[in-house]
Amino acid sequence: MTGTVDTVEAPVRAATDVLMKIDALEAAAKAGQGRLDQVVLTEATQIVDRAGQRLRMSGELTVVALAGATGSGKSSLFNAMTGLDLAAIGTRRPTSSMPLACVWGEEPAGEVLSWLGIPRRHQVQHRSSLEEQQSEDLDGLVLLDLPDHDSTEVEHRLIVDRLVELVDMLVWVVDPQKYADAALHNRYIKPFASHSGVMVFALNHIDKLSPDQQKSCLNDLDRLLKADGLKSPTVVATSAVSGDGLDEVRGLLVKRVSNKRSARERLAADVDRVSDRMASQCGNVKTPEIAEADITELVEALSDASGLPVVVDAVRRSYLQRASAAAGWPLTKWLGRFQPDPLRRLQLDQVSRQQGKELRRSASNEVATARASLPAATPVQRARMDTAVRTITNKAAEGLSRPWADSVRSAIRRREESLGDELDQAVARTDLGIANNPGWWGAARFVQWLLFAVTLAGGVWLAALLVARIAGLDDPPLPKAGGIPYAWIMLVGGAVLGIALAFVCRLFATGGAARRARAAENALRAELEKVADSHVVAPAREELEAYTTCRDSLAAARG
């Protein structure tokens, strides 16, 4: 029972493995788009599509193609293996210009043959002269006789090129005079060296060779195939005339048909081949990491170049100036009106107030105006910023293959071009908190005006007494407190209390200005961190994530 379960589960596991390899190749191809060689990526995509189509078709059929050069005797070998006489079907296929398909068994092959592009008039059902048992052993075989791969007709070569990519197994029929043909080896064998498991090489016409010549040709062909990259090539000596080697070829086909794995093995070999090509471009080094220290240095460089210290100091001084205007002694605070607001000088005051009120419709105009009054970055500041960007770029590309390193650099370079403008916008769009005035400012203003009114009333009272005395009028009685007239208490006391309150408010405002400056610095730094991320760090990490996906997917596809 255990053996039966294992036998049933093995094809299922094999099919699952192939599907996993195909999915992995698809993921690698998507990750490599725009980064790796487009020719290889296109080939990978085609293999994924082709594999999906083939796996959806009957898994009971095994498509084997006989391919060879002119005069190799593949059609004679086809006749001998199928028991067909091509001369008898000359009206269907007068020459080797089109492939001929012979199908064993009752399994419907129409869908597969249609996918292969074999016209119905070139399809025949097997009528074998073999023993019944042998015929049953090949049930599910679809044997193709292909046109000559070295035909002078371009159409014939194109047919061979297309079907070589599609069939489950290839039997290359070569003759003793052409088995070393460079066109065969360079065009079909070397590029498919990873397909050794689904290729058989039949050295045909051995009936024309002596035993020593046969041995010499077989050894030489084996040597050439290994030089092409095939690890363990399967070479069979055959003759359609004498029948030598036909049983061995037939045995290989029976084995392939019986295990129903040729299609999956062919697809797996296709995946391996293109995966190897992609892996040679992708590389397999550990994914570089972007250090937090480098990101911090970039943010510091951007802060310096964007004028953040200037803006933060302007926020602090503007807070103090507006606090004095709100809570200062009325007679002295008016002098502050002649001092321009530091933020207004930078043309940031209006921007921040509008942002506090969520008025963003004209933000683009305000950005340009705001930056116009900020000091331009010095050459030293620009050099520091460029160095920080270059450090992250180099570390992100360190050790990567040329395509991925170039991709990382290009991704950052594209965003870096707009980095200066984005810094301007980051400063201009940051809410500096100018619209949020502390509540104690209003209370202090009320008290100051109340004290000013008391002071003014005391002064008017004393002035009225002075006028009366000049006019010779009798001095009216003056209410006193502790021997001091109320008028003097009001005048002096109101002024002293007002000035003292202004001093106390100044002390509170100093602390508030420091807190407001820190809040503005944090807000500006947060915006600059976003700029650093969107224009440098994120593009680099996106490329590195794509590299990791491509590398790991290729490892799974090749596993």
Side-chain angles (χ1 to χ4, degrees), residues 259-327:
N259 64 25
K260 310 296 182 184
R261 294 176 56 185
S262 291
R264 295 190 296 272
E265 289 180 0
R266 167 59 199 264
L267 295 176
D270 285 341
V271 171
D272 288 341
R273 177 170 64 91
V274 74
S275 296
D276 287 342
R277 293 182 62 189
M278 289 179 62
S280 66
Q281 297 182 18
C282 178
N284 61 353
V285 299
K286 180 181 178 182
T287 304
E289 296 182 359
I290 302 175
E292 289 298 324
D294 294 329
I295 299 176
T296 300
E297 171 57 24
L298 174 61
V299 174
E300 292 295 334
L302 296 181
S303 300
D304 200 20
S306 65
L308 181 144
V310 175
V311 176
V312 171
D313 183 64
V315 170
R316 181 187 63 79
R317 291 187 292 113
S318 175
Y319 184 95
L320 288 174
Q321 187 171 326
R322 289 184 294 111
S324 296

Side-chain angles (χ1 to χ4, degrees), residues 63-74:
V63 182
V64 179
L66 296 180
T70 304
S72 63
K74 57 182 174 55

Side-chain angles (χ1 to χ4, degrees), residues 24-75:
L25 177 61
E26 183 177 20
K30 288 181 179 179
Q33 282 296 331
R35 300 167 175 109
L36 302 182
D37 184 9
Q38 188 57 46
V39 174
V40 179
L41 293 175
T42 300
E43 183 180 359
T45 302
Q46 290 173 346
I47 288 176
V48 170
D49 292 341
R50 185 164 69 238
Q53 295 171 6
R54 181 65 181 95
L55 290 175
R56 285 194 297 269
M57 298 176 191
S58 174
E60 300 299 316
L61 296 175
T62 301
V63 182
V64 179
L66 296 180
T70 304
S72 63
K74 57 182 174 55
S75 294

Side-chain angles (χ1 to χ4, degrees), residues 4-308:
T4 303
V5 173
D6 290 344
T7 302
V8 173
E9 290 183 350
V12 176
R13 287 197 300 270
T16 302
D17 291 343
V18 172
L19 287 173
M20 291 176 62
K21 290 168 70 73
I22 293 170
D23 290 342
L25 177 61
E26 183 177 20
K30 288 181 179 179
Q33 282 296 331
R35 300 167 175 109
L36 302 182
D37 184 9
Q38 188 57 46
V39 174
V40 179
L41 293 175
T42 300
E43 183 180 359
T45 302
Q46 290 173 346
I47 288 176
V48 170
D49 292 341
R50 185 164 69 238
Q53 295 171 6
R54 181 65 181 95
L55 290 175
R56 285 194 297 269
M57 298 176 191
S58 174
E60 300 299 316
L61 296 175
T62 301
V63 182
V64 179
L66 296 180
T70 304
S72 63
K74 57 182 174 55
S75 294
S76 298
L77 198 61
F78 181 86
N79 285 348
M81 294 181 63
T82 61
L84 296 175
D85 183 2
L86 292 182
I89 55 172
T91 55
R92 299 185 186 179
R93 186 184 187 241
T95 67
S96 298
S97 62
M98 288 294 292
L100 176 67
C102 182
V103 182
W104 274 259
E106 301 300 325
E107 180 73 17
E111 184 182 16
V112 172
L113 292 173
S114 176
W115 177 64
L116 292 171
I118 310 295
R120 190 163 185 80
R121 65 181 181 276
H122 295 134
Q123 303 173 20
V124 294
Q125 196 69 28
H126 181 256
R127 296 292 182 267
S128 179
S129 60
L130 303 176
E131 296 293 334
E132 186 65 24
Q133 180 61 42
Q134 290 179 312
S135 179
E136 291 179 359
D137 288 341
L138 290 175
D139 280 356
L141 172 65
V142 178
L143 187 64
L144 305 182
D145 181 23
L146 302 187
D148 301 331
H149 71 77
D150 61 348
S151 172
T152 57
E153 296 292 333
V154 176
E155 181 184 2
H156 299 176
R157 297 199 302 270
L158 293 177
I159 292 174
V160 174
D161 291 347
R162 180 176 61 82
L163 289 176
V164 162
E165 297 277 355
L166 299 179
V167 298
D168 303 330
M169 181 177 175
L170 276 163
V171 177
W172 287 103
V173 183
V174 296
D175 67 81
Q177 294 182 345
K178 292 184 179 180
Y179 68 80
D181 180 45
L184 170 65
H185 288 265
N186 294 333
R187 187 170 184 177
Y188 297 106
I189 298 179
K190 286 183 180 179
F192 293 92
S194 60
H195 294 58
S196 178
V198 291
M199 287 196 295
V200 173
F201 296 88
L203 181 63
N204 205 21
H205 299 317
I206 61 164
D207 56 292
K208 299 179 181 179
L209 303 176
S210 67
D212 289 340
Q213 290 174 329
Q214 292 180 24
K215 183 177 180 180
S216 176
C217 288
L218 288 171
N219 290 337
D220 193 40
L221 177 57
D222 183 76
R223 178 187 61 81
L224 291 174
L225 294 176
K226 289 180 178 178
D228 289 337
L230 280 72
K231 295 181 180 179
S232 301
T234 302
V235 181
V236 181
T238 62
S239 171
V241 175
S242 65
D244 290 339
L246 295 187
D247 287 341
E248 187 175 354
V249 174
R250 187 178 294 109
L252 291 172
L253 297 184
V254 169
K255 183 178 179 181
R256 287 289 174 177
V257 171
S258 63
N259 64 25
K260 310 296 182 184
R261 294 176 56 185
S262 291
R264 295 190 296 272
E265 289 180 0
R266 167 59 199 264
L267 295 176
D270 285 341
V271 171
D272 288 341
R273 177 170 64 91
V274 74
S275 296
D276 287 342
R277 293 182 62 189
M278 289 179 62
S280 66
Q281 297 182 18
C282 178
N284 61 353
V285 299
K286 180 181 178 182
T287 304
E289 296 182 359
I290 302 175
E292 289 298 324
D294 294 329
I295 299 176
T296 300
E297 171 57 24
L298 174 61
V299 174
E300 292 295 334
L302 296 181
S303 300
D304 200 20
S306 65
L308 181 144

